[in-house]
Amino acid sequence: MLCQRTIDGPAHAIGIGVHSGRPVRMTLRPADADTGIEFQRLDIPGRHVRARAENVSDTTLSTSLSEGGVQIATVEHLMSALWGLGIDNVRVELSNEEVPIMDGSAQPFVEIIQGAGIRDLDEPRKYIRITREVSVSQGQAQATLKPYDGFRASYTFVADHPVFNRYPKSIEVDFASTSYLREVCGARSFGLMRELGQARAIRKCLGSSLDNAVGISDDQIVNIEGLRYEDEFVKHKLLDAIGDLYLLGLPVIGEFDGYMSGHTLNNKLARALLRCPDAWVLQALPTTNRQRAYGLRH
């Protein structure tokens, strides 16, 4: 059977919180099998927050967790990177409440984890295999999980804007044949420059800049370097969804389809699945399925 994974040693990052604007230090540390992913705020000693869908407390422009009165903000990009590298168990130490935004993608997290190394543990890795379709909606937006032998994900981004209209708005990826590390993890956050003031009025995006997001004016991309992928906008939406779904606590064997879904609907889907025990089973996979099971190609 495929084994659970953790990191081989500590991994460090220093950055700012995209919403708080505050500097933050982060250290990832190895964890034992069946620990899962846990966050600890060093400014609140002795308290842990588990990375679980039921602990999601806020989905305004990002995904935040709360447990025992302790909050951890903006976890989705780190969760996405951990999924992409097949990391099941890790302790995340933060100097304050928000995960650093880094460059607005999952790539910096992938790089620091790869630098620390990855090792197998003795316990088998478990998966949530989807056995029947589960779907949630909110207005026109919809998010669905359905059976599939592997992990396939599609997303449709809907926005009528002169810049968005120049680029692909839909994507479908089968991660048995497409590399998350090469094709998805570098997709950055993005936003309209004219909406930045509104976000800051509600104490969001206080640390946002062109160093950690793709800025979009009324008619062009503001960043000098342009886009990393032609379909970077929709790929970032997919990256976010993967991170949100990994809050199920286990990787999924199945197919995700998102239409205009964001953090709120992604979490609603995860919670709906957990409330439907007839829609999934726990399963371990043999080592012959390593590529499919870890959901990536290098």
Side-chain angles (χ1 to χ4, degrees):
M1 292 293 175
L2 281 169
C3 293
Q4 295 179 36
R5 284 173 153 183
T6 189
I7 58 177
D8 203 32
H12 306 279
I14 298 175
I16 64 167
V18 69
H19 294 304
S20 68
R22 296 172 59 195
V24 57
R25 299 186 307 277
M26 181 180 76
T27 299
L28 308 184
R29 298 193 185 278
D32 295 335
D34 297 324
T35 299
I37 298 161
E38 289 188 346
F39 291 87
Q40 180 181 7
R41 284 179 54 177
L42 299 180
D43 58 334
I44 309 177
R47 306 286 288 277
H48 298 273
V49 178
R50 295 168 297 164
R52 302 300 297 268
E54 58 267 33
N55 286 339
V56 170
S57 57
D58 187 16
T59 52
T60 306
L61 300 180
S62 65
T63 296
S64 297
L65 306 171
S66 183
E67 186 174 11
V70 178
Q71 178 165 290
I72 304 293
T74 319
V75 303
E76 61 272 15
H77 300 169
L78 176 59
M79 294 299 300
S80 191
L82 293 169
W83 175 88
L85 291 170
I87 303 295
D88 306 279
N89 306 285
V90 71
R91 297 188 188 278
V92 184
E93 298 175 350
L94 296 168
S95 61
N96 61 53
E97 71 174 23
E98 192 169 9
V99 175
I101 191 62
M102 310 306 285
D103 71 350
S105 78
Q107 186 170 311
F109 300 127
V110 166
E111 291 172 352
I112 66 167
I113 292 167
Q114 289 178 321
I118 299 170
R119 61 182 170 91
D120 288 349
L121 299 168
D122 293 334
E123 295 298 316
R125 191 179 206 219
K126 298 181 181 69
Y127 295 79
I128 294 176
R129 177 181 283 277
I130 307 300
T131 57
R132 72 164 176 85
E133 182 174 310
V134 175
S135 186
V136 296
S137 62
Q138 184 173 324
Q140 290 183 303
Q142 187 169 4
T144 303
L145 282 168
K146 51 191 173 183
Y148 181 72
D149 190 20
F151 183 67
R152 184 165 64 189
S154 60
Y155 190 90
T156 299
F157 169 58
V158 178
D160 185 11
H161 183 278
V163 175
F164 294 140
N165 291 344
R166 296 175 201 153
Y167 299 98
K169 295 182 182 179
S170 295
I171 189 171
E172 181 177 304
V173 179
D174 189 326
F175 286 99
S177 57
T178 299
S179 169
Y180 171 88
L181 303 186
R182 285 201 308 264
E183 300 297 332
V184 177
C185 81
R188 295 163 293 174
S189 299
F190 60 91
L192 299 176
M193 302 295 289
R194 67 177 184 231
E195 294 180 351
L196 186 57
Q198 300 170 21
R200 289 179 172 169
I202 59 169
R203 307 298 295 171
K204 294 289 185 178
C205 298
L206 299 179
S208 182
S209 73
L210 297 181
D211 292 327
N212 54 45
V214 177
I216 302 159
S217 71
D218 289 341
D219 59 359
Q220 65 181 348
I221 292 167
V222 180
N223 305 61
I224 295 173
E225 72 276 12
L227 296 180
R228 292 177 175 175
Y229 317 98
E230 183 186 18
D231 52 358
E232 186 166 3
F233 300 135
V234 69
K235 277 183 175 175
H236 185 79
K237 290 290 190 179
L238 185 62
L239 182 157
D240 277 348
I242 288 170
D244 288 338
L245 287 178
Y246 203 30
L247 291 170
L248 285 165
L250 297 171
V252 167
I253 298 175
E255 180 174 352
F256 168 78
D257 181 40
Y259 179 82
M260 297 175 61
S261 67
H263 300 298
T264 300
L265 203 58
N266 296 339
N267 182 246
K268 186 177 179 181
L269 176 63
R271 289 177 184 246
L273 181 72
L274 294 174
R275 290 195 303 268
C276 299
D278 63 321
W280 55 277
V281 295
L282 289 180
Q283 182 176 344
L285 294 182
T287 54
T288 53
N289 289 335
R290 175 174 296 271
Q291 177 178 291
R292 185 182 68 200
Y294 285 125
L296 57 92
R297 286 174 60 90
H298 293 287

